Amino acid sequence: MNNNKKTVLKISGMHCASCAANIENTLQKEVGITSANVNFASEKLYVEFNAEQTSTDKIKKAIEKSGYSGTEENHNEKMSDHNHHDHIKTTPDEATRLKKRFLYALIFSLPIVYIALNKMMELPTLKLSENYEIIIQFILATLVIASSFDIWKNGFKRLWHLSPDMDSLIFIGTSVAYIYSLFISVLMFSNIETPAHLYYESVAMILVFISLGKYLEAITKGKTSQAIKKLIGLQPKEATVIRNNAEIKIPISQVLVGDIILVKPGEKIPVDGIVIDGYSGVDEKTITGESIPVEKKEGDEVIGATVNKTGVLKFRATRVGADTMLAQIIKIVDEAMGSKAPIQFLADKVSFYFVPAVIGIAILAFIIWLLVGQPLSFAITILVTILIIACPCALGLATPTAVMMGTGLAAKNGILIKSGKALEVARKINVVVFDKTGTLTKGEPSVTDIVAIKNNISNETVLQIAASVEKNSEHPLAQAIVNKATKDKIEFLVIKNFQALPGYGVTVELENKKIFFGTRKLMKENDIDTNWIEERMIALENQGKTAMLLSQDKEIIGIIAVADTLKKYSKEAVASLHKMGKEVVMITGDNERVGNAIAKTVNINYVLAEVLPQDKSLAIKKIQEGAQIGNWKLPARSATAFAGGEIGNSRQTRVVAMIGDGINDAPALAQADLGIALGSGTDVAMACAMSSLPLI
C-alpha cells in the first residue's frame, strides 16, 4: 500500500534563495520525507512524505527549528472565498511597508553621502567642524540601521541557527563597518590621531540598496500569484438553488452535492453537474478549448465556470469545491508554477554553500592581512569589502539592466517578455506546442461554405432562408449564420410555426412551404433522402467543418458549413518554425476530425486531440521527458489522435515552448519550459506565460 502523501505549506521568514535551500536541506535529512521543493517566489513548500513515518506537524516543527514557519493551505477556502486570497499573501501592505523602509533609509543616507563626497569634491557645505560631521554621520547611519533593522535581525537570526543567508552577509558586513566606524569616531573625539577612515556612508548606502532590492522583490512576488487569483475569480460567487420548490441564491461555498441548480441565459454555471431539465448552448471554450458552443440537454454533463449562452438549464451538482474541474486546473497551475527547472536546483545548491563560503573567505583574508603586518584598519576594510561585494547588490542592478535591453528591443517588435528566464530558455527551444482554439484559429464559429444544390436557387437564397430560420433559434451555431446574413445585408424572410428540435435542428413554414434545417437525422426522420449528397457532406466534415442541410418541401436545396477559421499568418508562423528546425505539435480540446483538419491546413504533423486541460500539462511533461508520441497514452478520459507518426527518434530531454490563449491552456503554459500567451488571450493565460505575443 502506498502511504505517500503530498501537501503544500506556506513558508514565512524567507529572504533569499539560500533560505529556500536551507529549508530543503533540513527536510531532506528528516525521516519519511520523499521530496521537498521550496519555491522562493511564491513562498511555498511542496512536500511529499510517508504518512507512517512522519506527519505535517513534524514537518512544521522541523521548519521552525530552521528559523522559519510553515502553515497549511486550505484548498476549499481558496475556491470559496474570492475576496481574501489568503493563500497568496504577498500583500500590498507588505510592499508598502518595504517601500517606506527604503524611502526612510534613502532620506537618512543622503546627507551622509554628501558629507563623504564633500571631502573629495569640495562641495558647498555649512562649514561644520569635523566633530560635528562625525556626530551627524553617526546619528544618520544609526537611523538608517533602525529603519532597516529587519535586515540585521534576520541576518543575525540565520547566523544563530547556523543557516546563514544573504541577510547574514549584509548583517556581518554592515555591523562590522558600523562598529569599526564608531570605534574610530571615539578615537577622533579623544584627539587620538588615526589614519583610519569612517565607513558610515558605506553602511547607509548598502542598506539603502538592499532595501530597494527587497521592495522590488516584494512587487515581483505579488505578480507571480496573479494567475491563481484570476482562475479563482472565474467561479461565480453565488448559485441559484431550488430548495423546497423555491429558488434561492446562496454563496457558492454552500452548494452541496445533489443540489438542483438553475442557470439562466448569460449566467456562469457555478459547479460541475448533470443536466436534468432544459436545453441550451454552453460556451466551454475557456475550460475545454471547444471552439463552438456545446449543446446541452437532459443527461449531459456541465462544467463549472463555463457560460450558459441561450436556454435555461436545471442540473444536479455532482462536484463542488475542491473537486470541480476548475479547482483541479488551479491545483495543476499552482504545482507547475512551484516546480523547478534543473538549472534552478543547481542554483539552489550553489546558494546553500555560497554564504558560508563567502564568510569563510572574508575571515581568512582578514587574518592573512594581519599576519603579513598590515594595520587593523586595513584588514577590517578587506573583511568588509569581501562581505559587501558578495552581497547581491551588483547582480541586482546588472542583471535587470541586461534584461531591460533585451525586453526593450523585443517590445519594439511586438513581443512582451515577463522575465529574464524567458530570454534564457527561448534560445534552447526545440519543440513548439500550439493550442488550436484562439491561437491558430479565431476561436469563434463563422460560415465557411454555402452550397446551393438546385440550379434555380442561388447561394444567396440558401443563406437567406437559413438565416431567416435560425433568427429565432437558440442553437449555438445559429448566431454565426445570422451574422453572415447581416454582414452580407441580406433581408430576413417572415417565417411561421418555428419549432426547435434539440439535437436535430429546426423546422418552420415559409410561404406555405415546409422548411427543415439541421442534421442528417432530421432529414431521415422526415423521409428526406440524403444518400445522394453524403459525399459532399463528408468532404466538408473532413475539413473540420460542421455541415447542415437545408430542405424545402422534402427536397434538399443547400448545405451551409460552419467552422472555426484560421487566424491570419498562422500558416506563415508554423512554416517559419519548420525552417528554424523546430518540431511543431498541436494540442486541442476539439475532436480528432477537427484537429487533424486544422493541422493539415497549417502543415503540423503531430496532433493530440480531445485533450482536457488537466491532460494538456501531462502531455507537455511527457514531451519534455523525451517520450515518443505514439508510444504513450493519456488517461482514458482524454481521447488521443496522432497524425504523421512520432516526434524524433531519440529519448533526449526536450525544451518545450507552449503557445496558447485560453484558461484551459494555463496548466500547460505553466508546465512548459517557456509559456507564450497571445496578446488577445485571457488574463490567466498571460499570467501563466513567461512571454506574450500580441500577434501570431
Side-chain angles (χ1 to χ4, degrees), residues 169-205:
L169 287 181
I170 298 161
F171 166 69
I172 295 172
T174 55
S175 62
V176 168
Y178 177 75
I179 293 169
Y180 175 74
S181 298
L182 182 58
F183 175 71
I184 297 300
S185 298
V186 172
L187 292 180
M188 289 180 173
F189 265 94
S190 302
N191 295 320
I192 299 174
E193 290 189 11
T194 172
H197 299 285
L198 299 176
Y199 294 99
Y200 289 126
E201 80 283 351
S202 298
V203 172
M205 290 312 298

Side-chain angles (χ1 to χ4, degrees), residues 14 37-46 337-340:
M14 292 193 299
N37 176 17
V38 177
N39 186 300
F40 174 61
S42 63
E43 297 183 336
K44 288 181 181 178
L45 164 66
Y46 301 83
M337 282 184 163
S339 63
K340 296 181 181 180

Side-chain angles (χ1 to χ4, degrees), residues 488-558:
D488 292 354
K489 297 180 179 179
I490 291 176
E491 184 180 353
F492 290 91
L493 303 172
V494 178
I495 61 169
K496 297 179 181 179
N497 300 326
F498 173 86
Q499 184 181 4
L501 304 170
Y504 289 84
V506 295
T507 176
V508 302
E509 285 185 15
L510 176 64
E511 297 176 353
N512 298 319
K513 296 178 181 178
K514 194 73 171 177
I515 304 293
F516 293 97
F517 184 51
T519 64
R520 295 177 180 85
K521 289 181 182 179
L522 177 65
M523 302 301 157
K524 290 176 181 178
E525 287 284 326
N526 291 276
D527 300 322
I528 300 173
D529 181 28
T530 62
N531 292 329
W532 62 278
I533 205 168
E534 189 67 22
E535 191 174 327
R536 283 196 178 186
M537 293 283 286
I538 291 173
L540 290 169
E541 288 168 345
N542 285 338
Q543 296 172 35
K545 300 171 182 177
T546 300
M548 292 167 282
L549 293 166
L550 179 67
S551 72
Q552 179 178 280
D553 283 344
K554 300 282 186 176
E555 184 180 11
I556 294 174
I557 61 172

Side-chain angles (χ1 to χ4, degrees), residues 460-670:
E460 184 176 321
T461 302
V462 171
L463 177 60
Q464 183 182 37
I465 295 172
S468 300
V469 169
E470 292 285 29
K471 188 175 182 181
N472 298 319
S473 173
E474 292 183 344
H475 192 280
L477 302 182
Q479 193 60 48
I481 297 170
V482 173
N483 288 344
K484 173 65 175 173
T486 303
K487 182 181 177 182
D488 292 354
K489 297 180 179 179
I490 291 176
E491 184 180 353
F492 290 91
L493 303 172
V494 178
I495 61 169
K496 297 179 181 179
N497 300 326
F498 173 86
Q499 184 181 4
L501 304 170
Y504 289 84
V506 295
T507 176
V508 302
E509 285 185 15
L510 176 64
E511 297 176 353
N512 298 319
K513 296 178 181 178
K514 194 73 171 177
I515 304 293
F516 293 97
F517 184 51
T519 64
R520 295 177 180 85
K521 289 181 182 179
L522 177 65
M523 302 301 157
K524 290 176 181 178
E525 287 284 326
N526 291 276
D527 300 322
I528 300 173
D529 181 28
T530 62
N531 292 329
W532 62 278
I533 205 168
E534 189 67 22
E535 191 174 327
R536 283 196 178 186
M537 293 283 286
I538 291 173
L540 290 169
E541 288 168 345
N542 285 338
Q543 296 172 35
K545 300 171 182 177
T546 300
M548 292 167 282
L549 293 166
L550 179 67
S551 72
Q552 179 178 280
D553 283 344
K554 300 282 186 176
E555 184 180 11
I556 294 174
I557 61 172
I559 303 173
I560 291 185
V562 176
D564 187 9
T565 54
L566 283 174
K567 282 185 176 179
K568 191 178 181 181
Y569 302 126
S570 288
K571 289 183 182 179
E572 289 85 343
V574 174
S576 296
L577 290 170
H578 282 311
K579 286 180 182 179
M580 295 166 65
K582 312 298 182 187
E583 299 281 8
V584 184
V585 182
M586 187 177 81
I587 294 182
T588 178
D590 256 338
N591 61 62
E592 179 179 344
R593 174 172 51 79
V594 173
N596 286 333
I598 294 295
K600 185 177 180 181
T601 305
V602 295
N603 196 29
I604 292 177
N605 295 324
Y606 312 108
V607 182
L608 284 166
E610 299 178 37
V611 183
L612 297 179
Q614 302 95 311
D615 299 332
K616 283 189 178 183
S617 62
L618 173 62
I620 295 294
K621 186 176 181 181
K622 287 288 187 181
I623 294 172
Q624 287 171 321
E625 292 171 350
Q628 292 182 346
I629 287 188
N631 290 345
W632 54 274
K633 297 291 182 184
L634 291 171
R637 63 181 178 274
S638 284
T640 59
F642 303 93
E646 300 171 352
I647 296 183
N649 297 314
S650 65
R651 296 278 302 177
Q652 83 254 10
T653 300
R654 302 186 185 94
V655 185
V656 179
M658 170 69 189
I659 304 175
D661 78 318
I663 290 149
N664 60 300
D665 303 322
L669 287 166

Side-chain angles (χ1 to χ4, degrees), residues 217-232:
E217 187 178 84
I219 294 174
T220 303
K221 281 185 186 179
K223 290 180 179 179
T224 63
S225 62
Q226 291 302 310
I228 306 297
K229 285 183 180 179
K230 287 167 183 172
L231 276 171
I232 292 173

